[in-house]
Amino acid sequence: MQLTRLVVGLGLAIGFMASAAAQTTMRISISTAQNSHQGVAIDTFAKEVEKRTGGRYKVQTFYNGALGGERESVEAVQLGTQELAFSSTGPIPNFVPETKILDVPFLFRDKAHARAVLDGPIGQEMLTKFDSKGFKALAWAENGFRHMTNSKRDVKEPGDLKGLKMRTMENPVHIAAYKGFGIITTPMAFPEVFTALQQGTVDGQENPLPVIISAKFDQVQKHLTLTGHVYSPCIFVMNKASFDKLSAADKQAFLDAAKEGTKANRARVDEDDAKGVADLRSKGMTVIDNVDKAKFVAALAPVNAEFEKQFGKATLDKIRDVK
Ligand code: EAX
């Protein structure tokens, strides 16, 4: 009797262990909605991981900062309490300082330039800097070029930004740059931004069209100016120990899945950029789409001189010179 029980118990335990080994579930999160350029990135990634590992790995997807804002999720990935996250580079320099340079204003000419840098030697070398910080960086993706919105006035000239109280990302380069415009900067995690705009805690914020649209900022912001002042990269990060535990073939599967996620992400950014202005106008925003960029660049000359000192002109030029 007792022996039978023992055998049954053992059988159950072995069965449980086998099924646990058969499927491992991991978690990935974003701070934007599922119906967004970030949503398609992680949905595609999850689907591809499952497909490429024959269903042995499953990735659960979380949206709208359900597991916390970007800084919190990246921190959780570093600690290993969450396996994966997809984040903008907003909070990333606080973990991997080498990435700071990517958020320098007016560094990239256009998306093709930025993608070429990130996919080329400079971006790929930067991915390896995550290794010693507890991460495996799987792939770069993007938010796109950031633009200014506010509830006070049309911003046509850089001087119009003076005195606006704006939410910024928790990123030292952004904060320094926007102060250079005369903006009163209020760093804040993304999940709090909509309410802050709604309640008037801040006058404005800045984000790419795909974020403005998916976050429905048109409901709480009247004025949009296409300043394109910063290119905003995103990244797939994974806990280093979780990645190292994978077999060589599974590591490749995760890397390839992230690449597919990036493809879907960039295609959606292009789509949102193409349709975004008309969409936001139809929802009642005024859109200034013909600013004299040179004036905005000139307004940041003193700040950019600081950045040249900090990062080195040669290093910045290496990025600028990528064709
Ligand atoms: O990644 O915090 C931000 O403004 C980010 O651009 C947003 O969370 C999307």
Side-chain angles (χ1 to χ4, degrees):
M1 179 66 179
Q2 258 187 346
L3 187 68
T4 325
R5 251 198 235 151
L6 184 70
V7 169
V8 170
L10 265 175
L12 280 176
I14 289 167
F16 175 75
M17 278 158 60
S19 72
Q23 189 170 69
T24 306
T25 301
M26 297 188 175
R27 296 181 301 167
I28 191 166
S29 63
I30 52 171
S31 66
T32 61
Q34 178 170 19
N35 183 12
S36 73
H37 61 303
Q38 299 192 356
V40 300
I42 66 167
D43 286 353
T44 304
F45 174 75
K47 196 183 79 202
E48 292 291 330
V49 163
E50 201 166 334
K51 190 178 94 187
R52 287 162 192 267
T53 62
R56 283 174 296 107
Y57 288 91
K58 197 174 155 46
V59 179
Q60 252 184 310
T61 47
F62 295 86
Y63 315 96
N64 291 312
L67 300 182
E70 290 186 331
R71 184 176 47 75
E72 287 166 294
S73 350
V74 173
E75 207 161 49
V77 170
Q78 190 180 43
L79 293 170
T81 52
Q82 183 179 325
E83 296 82 5
L84 292 141
F86 181 94
S87 172
S88 77
T89 44
I92 299 289
N94 301 318
F95 301 88
V96 184
E98 287 89 345
T99 59
K100 225 191 211 182
I101 193 168
L102 295 174
D103 279 70
V104 165
F106 303 114
L107 178 62
F108 296 103
R109 293 181 299 277
D110 50 30
K111 280 181 287 188
H113 178 206
R115 292 168 184 177
V117 170
L118 295 174
D119 295 347
I122 297 174
Q124 296 307 298
E125 146 88 13
M126 212 177 267
L127 290 181
T128 67
K129 305 290 184 209
F130 288 71
D131 295 0
S132 63
K133 307 290 163 129
F135 302 103
K136 172 67 189 176
L138 298 177
W140 292 110
E142 74 186 10
N143 260 339
F145 275 94
R146 303 180 79 90
H147 306 296
M148 307 268 182
T149 73
N150 80 92
S151 58
K152 295 280 184 207
R153 54 181 172 262
D154 278 340
V155 170
K156 294 180 177 152
E157 307 275 332
D160 298 330
L161 290 166
K162 220 160 250 150
L164 284 179
K165 191 168 178 197
M166 295 204 11
R167 175 269 173 174
T168 74
M169 295 206 287
E170 298 161 281
N171 178 301
V173 171
H174 285 225
I175 296 168
Y178 306 156
K179 282 193 173 135
F181 278 130
I183 288 170
I184 302 165
T185 54
T186 310
M188 193 186 289
F190 187 76
E192 293 161 40
V193 179
F194 187 93
T195 308
L197 294 170
Q198 189 171 41
Q199 297 182 341
T201 318
V202 290
D203 303 320
Q205 64 85 47
E206 45 75 58
N207 251 303
L209 293 178
V211 177
I212 297 172
I213 295 164
S214 59
K216 299 186 167 56
F217 284 160
D218 51 274
Q219 295 179 357
V220 285
Q221 298 277 270
K222 174 80 181 141
H223 311 275
L224 165 64
T225 301
L226 300 189
T227 43
H229 51 280
V230 173
Y231 174 79
S232 184
C234 285
I235 191 160
F236 282 96
V237 284
M238 183 163 179
N239 174 262
K240 181 77 163 60
S242 304
F243 183 79
D244 288 345
K245 267 187 234 143
L246 301 175
S247 70
D250 288 341
K251 281 182 180 146
Q252 199 53 49
F254 273 68
L255 290 165
D256 291 343
K259 279 206 186 83
E260 292 301 319
T262 296
K263 256 191 233 161
N265 158 259
R266 287 174 176 170
R268 177 63 182 266
V269 171
D270 286 341
E271 204 181 297
D272 287 352
D273 276 350
K275 295 194 299 208
V277 169
D279 177 40
L280 293 168
R281 276 192 178 127
S282 78
K283 289 174 175 153
M285 290 190 93
T286 47
V287 184
I288 312 289
D289 57 1
N290 58 350
V291 292
D292 186 349
K293 256 253 181 87
K295 284 189 184 167
F296 285 83
V297 175
L300 282 196
V303 180
N304 269 319
E306 277 306 307
F307 289 145
E308 295 229 319
K309 252 191 241 154
Q310 191 180 335
F311 299 113
K313 185 171 180 323
T315 312
L316 287 162
D317 281 344
K318 233 173 103 186
I319 294 178
R320 290 182 185 124
D321 290 346
V322 172
K323 294 285 174 273

